Amino acid sequence: MSYIGPKDFSEDTNLIAEVMRVMSGDLNLEWMKDCPHAMTARPSQARRGLTLDDINDDPYYGPSAIPEIIRRHFSMTPRGGVLPEGLPSLGYRLNRKSDVWADSATVLFEESKSRRWAPARSVPWDALDEASLSSEEDVAIRQLCTGLTSIGLVSTDVPSRWVWLMNQDFHEIKYWMCAQMFDATRLAEAFRKRALYGQGALGCDSRELGELLKIIMESDTYPLASAALNLTLFSFVQSLGRRFEFSSTNAADTYLGTRLVQDASRFIAYGVDHIRQLVGTRPSQVEIVNDHLDLVENGLVGYLGSRELIEPLIVLSGGVESVAAFYRRAAEQYFERCIAAGLGERQDRSPLPAFLKLLDS
Amino acid sequence: MSIRFPSLEFFRALQQRAKDDADVFEKLGVCDTTFGIRVGDDLYRIAFEVYECTEVDETNDPASLDFVLTAPVQLWKEMFASVLANGGADAAHTINTLTHVGDVMKVEYEDPEGHDRLYRFMATIQEFLDEAQHLDVELG
């Protein structure tokens, strides 16, 4: 239902009288006197330009002043701005700093824009015309691209479910989440284009991938969604990008794999930093996050074992053992990141090691 | 005059090439990492800041590096031979391919976040190594 403002401004006699006074030249300029704090904002490194960290280099405007729980306002006022009386609440529900915050988000946001690429022209698509792929390899690559397209699209959905609930004081995180949405959109775009390039076709969707993505999308809280998406899913997306590049025989696929890796790695960097700061501030969250990742990793086992993923990987690498080694290494690196995030050793509770053992046998 | 590989002079020549090709590196985007390249027993320290390779030196302190790419001299020679022959590493000799499973080129690191900088900035690091294509290199 649409929101209806508390008054009919077009019928507000006080407002109309004020407008008439201003139009007759009677400016009171109160807003000019209300500037509470001036700072000097200059690029700290000319080549980097004016960064978010540069304009945060003052406690008044920077994030150090954000309390753990925001009770001061729920309005649209940018952090550090003057709060007049009567501002409407925009209904933000994420008002706890540790629920969202990662110090690295500012750098990752700037990095995301600086390391941008445009699939339409950046990818050397015509290299695919000369690629020496068998028909089986060609279909296998298009199948992998189908899954990556699904992952990219759902990875735009996840931050979008939470960003509008987040207090304006966390604007750096909101900026970063918007960058994530754009990065994920680009991945969906690039891999859909790869699937369809030339005499192309999309492959078969995977029920198991759908289940994994649903588990992530329907996470109960933002910290759980962030851990599931950024830490778990994107650890494996990064590995898939590495595998895609590893399997490539041409410049287009090398380019796509490398860019998937670099973009996925920013998601991971935020995820590790976010969860580490969350559990550092509220240690009780360790078990809550670990409980959720138990469910997510169960979904991940389904996806890693699904025919729609493992079979094209086998076709492209020429054998099961190579894929098992790839999965094992991806899992090792994922577990290292969980430790770095403050979640401790997950191997004993995770379903992944048993799954990997099954592949080895 | 040809530049011998491996040597500090070789990596400093790559640094100079990266400066000469500044537009290429700026297009790839910011890159902030200090990493190592271990060729046999020799460890070279390479620092990138913003768009530039700002430092190339030898070091005995791998703990100060985000990650170290480690391989025998012969593998590095094979990789640079591919760079020289193909105008950049071919698909079989990219850093990602060589480090993929960890049994060809190793990536050493103490901090997983430092390790992930390899992946965040891999395109820049690959371009840096591919600059060897413009050098007269004596691989021996």
Side-chain angles (χ1 to χ4, degrees), chain B residues 47-137:
Chain B
F48 268 85
E49 190 176 352
V50 195
Y51 307 113
E52 280 181 55
C53 177
T54 53
E55 187 189 333
V56 170
D57 218 333
E58 288 178 284
T59 182
N60 295 313
D61 181 20
S64 67
L65 305 169
D66 289 328
F67 56 89
V68 178
L69 299 169
T70 296
V73 178
Q74 193 51 42
L75 181 66
W76 284 110
K77 284 183 177 177
E78 192 183 307
M79 191 205 83
F80 282 116
S82 166
V83 170
L84 294 171
N86 301 300
D90 66 1
H93 291 92
T94 61
I95 289 298
N96 179 65
T97 295
L98 295 172
T99 59
H100 183 56
V101 185
D103 56 352
V104 182
M105 180 181 286
K106 295 196 184 313
V107 188
E108 298 169 348
Y109 56 94
E110 292 185 3
D111 171 15
E113 289 174 282
H115 178 213
D116 276 328
R117 285 177 183 260
L118 167 61
Y119 306 122
R120 275 161 66 183
F121 305 123
M122 186 177 275
T124 300
I125 293 165
Q126 186 66 58
E127 186 66 36
F128 176 73
L129 299 173
D130 283 352
E131 287 291 338
Q133 69 187 280
H134 303 295
L135 303 177
D136 179 8
V137 186

Side-chain angles (χ1 to χ4, degrees), chain A residues 76-93:
Chain A
M76 66 293 179
T77 308
R79 192 176 69 224
V82 176
L83 294 161
E85 290 289 316
L87 287 170
S89 166
L90 293 196
Y92 297 126
R93 293 290 181 269

